[in-house]
Amino acid sequence: MTAMTRRTVLAALATSPLWMQNAWAQTTSLKISHQFPGGTINEGDFRDRLCRMFAAEVEKRSKGTLKFSVYPGSSLMKTNSQFSAMRKGALDLSLVPLSYAGGEVPEVNIGLMPGLVTTYDQGYSWKKAEVGKELARILGEKGIVVLSWIWQAGGVASRSKPIVEPEDVRGMKVRGGSREMDLILKAAGAAVVTLPSNEIYAAMQTGAMDAALTSSTSLISFRLEEVSKSLTTGRGGAYWFMFEPLLMSKAIFERLTKEQQAILMAVGGELEGFARNSAQADDAAVAAVYQKAGAKVVDLNATIVKKWQAIARTTAWIDYREKNANCARLLALAEKTL
């Protein structure tokens, strides 16, 4: 190799990181995957709308250097594959219930811990509290960045009687949504069924499942009123709240410029108000949807919520705390927000 050739190769190698960074700054196309029904930026499931609003605003602020494609209804990949794919850098972004990844990262089940979050104010306080900072740190170590903190209250759709008191689930096949939710259901006498929310309809339709706990928005979007005779809402109180954030692969995030990263974080944070308002609106709207379909609609009160919380303290909380040191620390920090 001649001296001139060597100098040319060395110069190319020395400047390649800058070249790659500039290439990313010119135009980067990113994919957002989620399991919920698709719609438009103005209509449909608010989680799909949030993804589209996020995409449009980031593209605008980044002057077109960041562009997005939104894939609803698990059309890009299977629901339970999204978290792992983001960790590997094989998926860019996803809006997904964090507890779905509990089998892979046990710490994330804090996001659907019965009785631990009982109001929207408390859930949204996590972001700036010690528990939120610790959860974000752990997720960062696992290759995940939280862009939008989103919480949703949940209810119960049932093919028969309303699920109110713990003893109401005895002998029923019920979907909880996380290991911790399953533990309190088992303690109350239920047989648990494990599947993502976009598969609830078929399971209830065939009788493979008698009742399902899921967010108010999913109770509407997945048309579960068509296969239900009763609904327990979360509008008057709830013993579980689901953390369902907009997440991004850290590997992909770190390839972007500092300015692009700042835009992603800013827009994600600004959309949290929209998410909260939409979730609370659905908590109220779900009752009318089920009543119109002929279902019996009931609410919870503080006394009933405390009954479920008492079961959780002696089952799910203990099980989670004993998983590892991170889980124990997260639970202790979360209890400070009660």
Short mmCIF file of all heavy atoms in Angstrom, two decimals, residues 231-295:
data_model
loop_
_atom_site.label_atom_id
_atom_site.label_comp_id
_atom_site.label_asym_id
_atom_site.label_seq_id
_atom_site.Cartn_x
_atom_site.Cartn_y
_atom_site.Cartn_z
N LEU A 231 -69.62 -4.76 33.73
CA LEU A 231 -68.41 -3.94 33.73
C LEU A 231 -68.21 -3.31 35.10
O LEU A 231 -69.13 -2.73 35.67
CB LEU A 231 -68.51 -2.82 32.69
CG LEU A 231 -67.40 -1.76 32.75
CD1 LEU A 231 -66.09 -2.34 32.22
CD2 LEU A 231 -67.78 -0.51 31.98
N THR A 232 -66.99 -3.42 35.60
CA THR A 232 -66.58 -2.69 36.80
C THR A 232 -65.65 -1.59 36.33
O THR A 232 -64.60 -1.87 35.74
CB THR A 232 -65.85 -3.60 37.79
OG1 THR A 232 -66.66 -4.74 38.08
CG2 THR A 232 -65.53 -2.86 39.08
N THR A 233 -66.02 -0.35 36.55
CA THR A 233 -65.22 0.77 36.04
C THR A 233 -64.14 1.19 37.04
O THR A 233 -64.16 0.80 38.20
CB THR A 233 -66.10 2.01 35.75
OG1 THR A 233 -66.35 2.71 36.98
CG2 THR A 233 -67.40 1.63 35.09
N GLY A 234 -63.24 2.05 36.55
CA GLY A 234 -62.21 2.62 37.41
C GLY A 234 -62.46 4.10 37.68
O GLY A 234 -61.61 4.78 38.24
N ARG A 235 -63.65 4.59 37.32
CA ARG A 235 -63.90 6.03 37.40
C ARG A 235 -64.06 6.54 38.83
O ARG A 235 -63.73 7.68 39.14
CB ARG A 235 -65.14 6.39 36.58
CG ARG A 235 -66.43 5.75 37.05
CD ARG A 235 -67.60 6.10 36.16
NE ARG A 235 -68.80 5.34 36.58
CZ ARG A 235 -69.98 5.46 36.00
NH1 ARG A 235 -70.13 6.30 34.99
NH2 ARG A 235 -71.02 4.75 36.43
N GLY A 236 -64.57 5.68 39.74
CA GLY A 236 -64.77 6.13 41.11
C GLY A 236 -63.65 5.72 42.04
O GLY A 236 -63.59 6.11 43.20
N GLY A 237 -62.72 4.91 41.53
CA GLY A 237 -61.62 4.38 42.33
C GLY A 237 -61.12 3.11 41.67
O GLY A 237 -61.89 2.42 40.99
N ALA A 238 -59.86 2.81 41.86
CA ALA A 238 -59.28 1.62 41.23
C ALA A 238 -58.16 1.06 42.11
O ALA A 238 -57.45 1.82 42.76
CB ALA A 238 -58.74 1.96 39.84
N TYR A 239 -58.03 -0.26 42.12
CA TYR A 239 -56.95 -0.87 42.90
C TYR A 239 -55.75 -1.21 42.03
O TYR A 239 -54.79 -1.81 42.48
CB TYR A 239 -57.44 -2.12 43.64
CG TYR A 239 -58.16 -3.14 42.78
CD1 TYR A 239 -57.46 -4.14 42.10
CD2 TYR A 239 -59.54 -3.13 42.69
CE1 TYR A 239 -58.12 -5.07 41.33
CE2 TYR A 239 -60.22 -4.06 41.91
CZ TYR A 239 -59.51 -5.03 41.24
OH TYR A 239 -60.16 -5.97 40.47
N TRP A 240 -55.83 -0.81 40.78
CA TRP A 240 -54.62 -0.95 39.95
C TRP A 240 -54.61 0.11 38.85
O TRP A 240 -55.63 0.48 38.30
CB TRP A 240 -54.50 -2.35 39.35
CG TRP A 240 -55.55 -2.69 38.34
CD1 TRP A 240 -56.78 -3.21 38.56
CD2 TRP A 240 -55.44 -2.56 36.91
NE1 TRP A 240 -57.45 -3.40 37.37
CE2 TRP A 240 -56.65 -3.01 36.35
CE3 TRP A 240 -54.42 -2.11 36.06
CZ2 TRP A 240 -56.88 -3.03 34.98
CZ3 TRP A 240 -54.66 -2.12 34.70
CH2 TRP A 240 -55.88 -2.59 34.17
N PHE A 241 -53.42 0.60 38.60
CA PHE A 241 -53.16 1.52 37.50
C PHE A 241 -52.04 0.93 36.67
O PHE A 241 -51.08 0.37 37.21
CB PHE A 241 -52.73 2.90 38.01
CG PHE A 241 -53.87 3.81 38.35
CD1 PHE A 241 -54.67 3.57 39.45
CD2 PHE A 241 -54.16 4.93 37.57
CE1 PHE A 241 -55.72 4.40 39.78
CE2 PHE A 241 -55.21 5.77 37.87
CZ PHE A 241 -55.99 5.51 38.99
N MET A 242 -52.15 1.05 35.36
CA MET A 242 -51.15 0.50 34.46
C MET A 242 -50.23 1.59 33.93
O MET A 242 -50.67 2.63 33.47
CB MET A 242 -51.84 -0.19 33.28
CG MET A 242 -50.88 -0.77 32.24
SD MET A 242 -51.77 -1.48 30.83
CE MET A 242 -52.55 -2.89 31.62
N PHE A 243 -48.92 1.33 34.00
CA PHE A 243 -47.92 2.22 33.42
C PHE A 243 -47.70 1.75 31.98
O PHE A 243 -47.26 0.63 31.74
CB PHE A 243 -46.63 2.15 34.22
CG PHE A 243 -45.56 3.11 33.75
CD1 PHE A 243 -45.86 4.42 33.42
CD2 PHE A 243 -44.23 2.70 33.65
CE1 PHE A 243 -44.88 5.31 32.99
CE2 PHE A 243 -43.24 3.57 33.24
CZ PHE A 243 -43.57 4.88 32.91
N GLU A 244 -48.06 2.61 31.04
CA GLU A 244 -48.06 2.23 29.62
C GLU A 244 -47.33 3.32 28.83
O GLU A 244 -47.94 4.09 28.09
CB GLU A 244 -49.52 2.11 29.16
CG GLU A 244 -49.72 1.30 27.92
CD GLU A 244 -51.19 0.91 27.79
OE1 GLU A 244 -52.07 1.75 28.04
OE2 GLU A 244 -51.45 -0.24 27.44
N PRO A 245 -46.02 3.40 28.96
CA PRO A 245 -45.26 4.53 28.41
C PRO A 245 -44.91 4.41 26.93
O PRO A 245 -45.01 3.32 26.35
CB PRO A 245 -43.97 4.50 29.25
CG PRO A 245 -43.77 3.03 29.51
CD PRO A 245 -45.17 2.46 29.69
N LEU A 246 -44.55 5.53 26.37
CA LEU A 246 -43.94 5.54 25.04
C LEU A 246 -42.44 5.37 25.26
O LEU A 246 -41.81 6.19 25.92
CB LEU A 246 -44.22 6.85 24.30
CG LEU A 246 -43.58 6.99 22.90
CD1 LEU A 246 -44.10 5.91 21.94
CD2 LEU A 246 -43.85 8.39 22.33
N LEU A 247 -41.90 4.29 24.72
CA LEU A 247 -40.50 3.92 24.95
C LEU A 247 -39.70 3.98 23.67
O LEU A 247 -40.24 3.86 22.58
CB LEU A 247 -40.43 2.50 25.52
CG LEU A 247 -41.22 2.23 26.80
CD1 LEU A 247 -41.17 0.74 27.13
CD2 LEU A 247 -40.68 3.05 27.96
N MET A 248 -38.38 4.12 23.83
CA MET A 248 -37.49 4.12 22.67
C MET A 248 -36.25 3.29 22.96
O MET A 248 -35.76 3.25 24.09
CB MET A 248 -37.08 5.55 22.31
CG MET A 248 -36.23 5.65 21.05
SD MET A 248 -36.03 7.35 20.49
CE MET A 248 -35.18 7.07 18.91
N SER A 249 -35.76 2.65 21.94
CA SER A 249 -34.51 1.90 22.05
C SER A 249 -33.37 2.86 22.38
O SER A 249 -33.17 3.85 21.67
CB SER A 249 -34.21 1.18 20.74
OG SER A 249 -32.88 0.72 20.70
N LYS A 250 -32.64 2.58 23.43
CA LYS A 250 -31.52 3.45 23.81
C LYS A 250 -30.44 3.44 22.74
O LYS A 250 -29.79 4.46 22.48
CB LYS A 250 -30.94 3.00 25.16
CG LYS A 250 -29.88 3.94 25.72
CD LYS A 250 -29.41 3.48 27.09
CE LYS A 250 -28.36 4.43 27.67
NZ LYS A 250 -27.89 3.95 29.00
N ALA A 251 -30.24 2.29 22.12
CA ALA A 251 -29.22 2.18 21.06
C ALA A 251 -29.54 3.12 19.91
O ALA A 251 -28.65 3.77 19.34
CB ALA A 251 -29.13 0.74 20.57
N ILE A 252 -30.82 3.20 19.55
CA ILE A 252 -31.24 4.09 18.46
C ILE A 252 -31.19 5.55 18.93
O ILE A 252 -30.73 6.44 18.20
CB ILE A 252 -32.66 3.74 17.98
CG1 ILE A 252 -32.74 2.26 17.55
CG2 ILE A 252 -33.09 4.65 16.85
CD1 ILE A 252 -31.79 1.87 16.43
N PHE A 253 -31.67 5.80 20.13
CA PHE A 253 -31.69 7.15 20.71
C PHE A 253 -30.29 7.76 20.71
O PHE A 253 -30.10 8.93 20.36
CB PHE A 253 -32.25 7.08 22.13
CG PHE A 253 -32.40 8.40 22.82
CD1 PHE A 253 -33.50 9.21 22.59
CD2 PHE A 253 -31.45 8.83 23.74
CE1 PHE A 253 -33.66 10.43 23.26
CE2 PHE A 253 -31.58 10.04 24.40
CZ PHE A 253 -32.69 10.84 24.15
N GLU A 254 -29.30 6.96 21.09
CA GLU A 254 -27.94 7.48 21.23
C GLU A 254 -27.25 7.71 19.89
O GLU A 254 -26.19 8.34 19.85
CB GLU A 254 -27.12 6.55 22.12
CG GLU A 254 -27.58 6.58 23.57
CD GLU A 254 -26.73 5.74 24.49
OE1 GLU A 254 -26.02 4.82 23.98
OE2 GLU A 254 -26.76 5.97 25.72
N ARG A 255 -27.82 7.24 18.81
CA ARG A 255 -27.25 7.51 17.49
C ARG A 255 -27.66 8.90 16.97
O ARG A 255 -27.09 9.39 16.00
CB ARG A 255 -27.72 6.46 16.48
CG ARG A 255 -27.19 5.06 16.74
CD ARG A 255 -27.69 4.12 15.66
NE ARG A 255 -27.52 2.72 16.03
CZ ARG A 255 -27.99 1.70 15.32
NH1 ARG A 255 -28.67 1.95 14.21
NH2 ARG A 255 -27.77 0.46 15.71
N LEU A 256 -28.67 9.47 17.61
CA LEU A 256 -29.17 10.76 17.16
C LEU A 256 -28.32 11.91 17.71
O LEU A 256 -27.54 11.74 18.64
CB LEU A 256 -30.62 10.94 17.61
CG LEU A 256 -31.59 9.84 17.17
CD1 LEU A 256 -32.98 10.12 17.74
CD2 LEU A 256 -31.65 9.72 15.66
N THR A 257 -28.49 13.07 17.14
CA THR A 257 -27.78 14.25 17.64
C THR A 257 -28.39 14.68 18.97
O THR A 257 -29.53 14.32 19.30
CB THR A 257 -27.87 15.42 16.65
OG1 THR A 257 -29.24 15.86 16.60
CG2 THR A 257 -27.42 15.01 15.25
N LYS A 258 -27.66 15.45 19.75
CA LYS A 258 -28.15 15.96 21.03
C LYS A 258 -29.42 16.79 20.82
O LYS A 258 -30.35 16.73 21.64
CB LYS A 258 -27.08 16.80 21.72
CG LYS A 258 -25.84 16.02 22.13
CD LYS A 258 -26.18 14.94 23.17
CE LYS A 258 -24.93 14.19 23.61
NZ LYS A 258 -25.25 13.10 24.57
N GLU A 259 -29.46 17.53 19.76
CA GLU A 259 -30.63 18.35 19.47
C GLU A 259 -31.85 17.48 19.20
O GLU A 259 -32.95 17.75 19.69
CB GLU A 259 -30.36 19.27 18.27
CG GLU A 259 -31.54 20.18 17.93
CD GLU A 259 -31.29 21.05 16.71
OE1 GLU A 259 -30.23 20.88 16.06
OE2 GLU A 259 -32.15 21.89 16.41
N GLN A 260 -31.67 16.42 18.43
CA GLN A 260 -32.77 15.51 18.13
C GLN A 260 -33.25 14.80 19.39
O GLN A 260 -34.45 14.65 19.62
CB GLN A 260 -32.34 14.49 17.07
CG GLN A 260 -32.16 15.09 15.68
CD GLN A 260 -31.53 14.10 14.71
OE1 GLN A 260 -30.73 13.25 15.08
NE2 GLN A 260 -31.91 14.21 13.44
N GLN A 261 -32.31 14.40 20.23
CA GLN A 261 -32.66 13.74 21.49
C GLN A 261 -33.49 14.67 22.37
O GLN A 261 -34.49 14.27 22.97
CB GLN A 261 -31.39 13.32 22.23
CG GLN A 261 -30.63 12.19 21.58
CD GLN A 261 -29.31 11.90 22.28
OE1 GLN A 261 -28.97 12.54 23.28
NE2 GLN A 261 -28.56 10.93 21.76
N ALA A 262 -33.09 15.93 22.41
CA ALA A 262 -33.82 16.92 23.22
C ALA A 262 -35.24 17.12 22.70
O ALA A 262 -36.19 17.26 23.48
CB ALA A 262 -33.07 18.24 23.22
N ILE A 263 -35.41 17.10 21.39
CA ILE A 263 -36.73 17.26 20.80
C ILE A 263 -37.62 16.07 21.18
O ILE A 263 -38.79 16.24 21.57
CB ILE A 263 -36.63 17.39 19.26
CG1 ILE A 263 -35.97 18.72 18.88
CG2 ILE A 263 -38.03 17.28 18.62
CD1 ILE A 263 -35.64 18.84 17.40
N LEU A 264 -37.10 14.86 21.08
CA LEU A 264 -37.85 13.66 21.43
C LEU A 264 -38.33 13.71 22.88
O LEU A 264 -39.50 13.44 23.17
CB LEU A 264 -36.98 12.42 21.22
CG LEU A 264 -36.65 12.02 19.77
CD1 LEU A 264 -35.57 10.97 19.76
CD2 LEU A 264 -37.90 11.51 19.06
N MET A 265 -37.43 14.08 23.78
CA MET A 265 -37.78 14.13 25.19
C MET A 265 -38.80 15.23 25.48
O MET A 265 -39.73 15.05 26.27
CB MET A 265 -36.52 14.35 26.04
CG MET A 265 -35.50 13.22 25.96
SD MET A 265 -36.15 11.59 26.44
CE MET A 265 -36.49 11.87 28.18
N ALA A 266 -38.62 16.37 24.83
CA ALA A 266 -39.54 17.50 25.06
C ALA A 266 -40.95 17.17 24.59
O ALA A 266 -41.94 17.39 25.31
CB ALA A 266 -39.01 18.74 24.36
N VAL A 267 -41.07 16.67 23.38
CA VAL A 267 -42.39 16.35 22.83
C VAL A 267 -43.05 15.24 23.64
O VAL A 267 -44.25 15.29 23.95
CB VAL A 267 -42.30 15.97 21.34
CG1 VAL A 267 -43.65 15.52 20.82
CG2 VAL A 267 -41.77 17.15 20.52
N GLY A 268 -42.27 14.22 24.00
CA GLY A 268 -42.81 13.13 24.81
C GLY A 268 -43.38 13.64 26.12
O GLY A 268 -44.48 13.25 26.52
N GLY A 269 -42.66 14.54 26.77
CA GLY A 269 -43.13 15.10 28.03
C GLY A 269 -44.38 15.95 27.87
O GLY A 269 -45.30 15.90 28.69
N GLU A 270 -44.43 16.72 26.81
CA GLU A 270 -45.58 17.60 26.57
C GLU A 270 -46.86 16.82 26.31
O GLU A 270 -47.95 17.31 26.60
CB GLU A 270 -45.28 18.54 25.40
CG GLU A 270 -44.21 19.58 25.71
CD GLU A 270 -43.69 20.29 24.47
OE1 GLU A 270 -44.33 20.16 23.40
OE2 GLU A 270 -42.65 20.96 24.57
N LEU A 271 -46.75 15.63 25.78
CA LEU A 271 -47.93 14.83 25.46
C LEU A 271 -48.51 14.08 26.67
O LEU A 271 -49.57 13.46 26.56
CB LEU A 271 -47.61 13.84 24.34
CG LEU A 271 -47.51 14.45 22.94
CD1 LEU A 271 -46.96 13.45 21.94
CD2 LEU A 271 -48.88 14.95 22.48
N GLU A 272 -47.82 14.14 27.79
CA GLU A 272 -48.32 13.45 28.99
C GLU A 272 -49.64 14.03 29.47
O GLU A 272 -50.50 13.32 29.98
CB GLU A 272 -47.25 13.49 30.08
CG GLU A 272 -46.08 12.59 29.77
CD GLU A 272 -44.84 12.85 30.62
OE1 GLU A 272 -44.89 13.73 31.50
OE2 GLU A 272 -43.82 12.18 30.38
N GLY A 273 -49.82 15.34 29.31
CA GLY A 273 -51.10 15.96 29.68
C GLY A 273 -52.24 15.44 28.83
O GLY A 273 -53.34 15.14 29.34
N PHE A 274 -52.00 15.31 27.54
CA PHE A 274 -53.00 14.74 26.63
C PHE A 274 -53.34 13.32 27.04
O PHE A 274 -54.52 12.93 27.06
CB PHE A 274 -52.47 14.77 25.19
CG PHE A 274 -53.25 13.91 24.24
CD1 PHE A 274 -54.47 14.35 23.73
CD2 PHE A 274 -52.77 12.67 23.85
CE1 PHE A 274 -55.21 13.54 22.86
CE2 PHE A 274 -53.49 11.85 22.98
CZ PHE A 274 -54.72 12.30 22.49
N ALA A 275 -52.32 12.54 27.38
CA ALA A 275 -52.54 11.14 27.76
C ALA A 275 -53.40 11.05 29.02
O ALA A 275 -54.35 10.27 29.09
CB ALA A 275 -51.20 10.44 27.98
N ARG A 276 -53.07 11.85 30.01
CA ARG A 276 -53.83 11.81 31.27
C ARG A 276 -55.29 12.22 31.05
O ARG A 276 -56.21 11.54 31.53
CB ARG A 276 -53.18 12.71 32.31
CG ARG A 276 -53.97 12.78 33.61
CD ARG A 276 -53.26 13.54 34.70
NE ARG A 276 -54.11 13.64 35.89
CZ ARG A 276 -53.68 14.03 37.07
NH1 ARG A 276 -52.42 14.36 37.25
NH2 ARG A 276 -54.52 14.10 38.10
N ASN A 277 -55.49 13.31 30.36
CA ASN A 277 -56.86 13.78 30.11
C ASN A 277 -57.67 12.75 29.32
O ASN A 277 -58.85 12.51 29.60
CB ASN A 277 -56.83 15.10 29.35
CG ASN A 277 -56.31 16.26 30.19
OD1 ASN A 277 -56.36 16.20 31.42
ND2 ASN A 277 -55.81 17.29 29.54
N SER A 278 -57.02 12.12 28.35
CA SER A 278 -57.70 11.13 27.52
C SER A 278 -58.04 9.88 28.32
O SER A 278 -59.14 9.32 28.18
CB SER A 278 -56.83 10.76 26.32
OG SER A 278 -56.59 11.88 25.50
N ALA A 279 -57.11 9.43 29.16
CA ALA A 279 -57.35 8.24 29.98
C ALA A 279 -58.51 8.48 30.94
O ALA A 279 -59.39 7.62 31.11
CB ALA A 279 -56.09 7.87 30.74
N GLN A 280 -58.54 9.65 31.57
CA GLN A 280 -59.62 9.96 32.51
C GLN A 280 -60.96 10.12 31.80
O GLN A 280 -62.00 9.75 32.33
CB GLN A 280 -59.26 11.21 33.31
CG GLN A 280 -58.13 10.96 34.31
CD GLN A 280 -57.80 12.18 35.15
OE1 GLN A 280 -57.18 13.12 34.68
NE2 GLN A 280 -58.20 12.15 36.40
N ALA A 281 -60.91 10.65 30.60
CA ALA A 281 -62.15 10.77 29.80
C ALA A 281 -62.69 9.38 29.47
O ALA A 281 -63.91 9.14 29.51
CB ALA A 281 -61.88 11.55 28.52
N ASP A 282 -61.79 8.45 29.16
CA ASP A 282 -62.21 7.08 28.85
C ASP A 282 -62.75 6.36 30.09
O ASP A 282 -63.63 5.51 29.98
CB ASP A 282 -61.05 6.29 28.23
CG ASP A 282 -60.79 6.68 26.78
OD1 ASP A 282 -61.65 7.34 26.18
OD2 ASP A 282 -59.71 6.31 26.27
N ASP A 283 -62.21 6.69 31.28
CA ASP A 283 -62.73 6.10 32.52
C ASP A 283 -64.21 6.41 32.67
O ASP A 283 -64.99 5.60 33.17
CB ASP A 283 -61.98 6.67 33.74
CG ASP A 283 -60.53 6.19 33.82
OD1 ASP A 283 -60.20 5.18 33.17
OD2 ASP A 283 -59.75 6.83 34.55
N ALA A 284 -64.59 7.61 32.24
CA ALA A 284 -66.00 8.01 32.32
C ALA A 284 -66.81 7.48 31.14
O ALA A 284 -67.94 7.01 31.30
CB ALA A 284 -66.09 9.54 32.38
N ALA A 285 -66.22 7.53 29.95
CA ALA A 285 -66.94 7.14 28.73
C ALA A 285 -67.25 5.66 28.66
O ALA A 285 -68.26 5.25 28.08
CB ALA A 285 -66.13 7.55 27.50
N VAL A 286 -66.39 4.84 29.25
CA VAL A 286 -66.56 3.39 29.14
C VAL A 286 -67.90 2.93 29.73
O VAL A 286 -68.53 2.00 29.21
CB VAL A 286 -65.37 2.64 29.79
CG1 VAL A 286 -65.34 2.84 31.30
CG2 VAL A 286 -65.42 1.15 29.46
N ALA A 287 -68.36 3.59 30.77
CA ALA A 287 -69.63 3.21 31.39
C ALA A 287 -70.78 3.34 30.41
O ALA A 287 -71.63 2.43 30.29
CB ALA A 287 -69.88 4.07 32.63
N ALA A 288 -70.82 4.45 29.69
CA ALA A 288 -71.90 4.68 28.72
C ALA A 288 -71.86 3.66 27.59
O ALA A 288 -72.91 3.18 27.13
CB ALA A 288 -71.79 6.09 28.16
N VAL A 289 -70.66 3.29 27.15
CA VAL A 289 -70.51 2.31 26.07
C VAL A 289 -71.11 0.97 26.48
O VAL A 289 -71.84 0.33 25.71
CB VAL A 289 -69.01 2.14 25.71
CG1 VAL A 289 -68.82 0.97 24.75
CG2 VAL A 289 -68.46 3.43 25.09
N TYR A 290 -70.82 0.53 27.70
CA TYR A 290 -71.30 -0.77 28.15
C TYR A 290 -72.78 -0.75 28.49
O TYR A 290 -73.51 -1.73 28.25
CB TYR A 290 -70.45 -1.26 29.33
CG TYR A 290 -69.14 -1.87 28.88
CD1 TYR A 290 -68.15 -1.08 28.31
CD2 TYR A 290 -68.91 -3.24 28.96
CE1 TYR A 290 -66.97 -1.63 27.85
CE2 TYR A 290 -67.72 -3.81 28.52
CZ TYR A 290 -66.76 -2.99 27.95
OH TYR A 290 -65.58 -3.53 27.49
N GLN A 291 -73.24 0.36 29.06
CA GLN A 291 -74.67 0.48 29.35
C GLN A 291 -75.50 0.42 28.07
O GLN A 291 -76.55 -0.22 28.02
CB GLN A 291 -74.93 1.79 30.10
CG GLN A 291 -74.51 1.74 31.56
CD GLN A 291 -74.59 3.10 32.25
OE1 GLN A 291 -74.54 4.13 31.59
NE2 GLN A 291 -74.69 3.08 33.57
N LYS A 292 -75.00 1.08 27.03
CA LYS A 292 -75.70 1.07 25.74
C LYS A 292 -75.78 -0.35 25.18
O LYS A 292 -76.75 -0.71 24.50
CB LYS A 292 -74.98 1.99 24.76
CG LYS A 292 -75.67 2.13 23.42
CD LYS A 292 -74.95 3.11 22.51
CE LYS A 292 -75.65 3.26 21.18
NZ LYS A 292 -74.93 4.22 20.28
N ALA A 293 -74.76 -1.16 25.46
CA ALA A 293 -74.74 -2.54 24.97
C ALA A 293 -75.55 -3.48 25.87
O ALA A 293 -75.66 -4.67 25.58
CB ALA A 293 -73.30 -3.03 24.88
N GLY A 294 -76.11 -2.92 26.95
CA GLY A 294 -76.95 -3.74 27.82
C GLY A 294 -76.24 -4.37 29.00
O GLY A 294 -76.83 -5.18 29.73
N ALA A 295 -75.00 -4.00 29.24
CA ALA A 295 -74.24 -4.57 30.35
C ALA A 295 -74.57 -3.86 31.66
O ALA A 295 -74.94 -2.69 31.67
CB ALA A 295 -72.75 -4.46 30.07
#
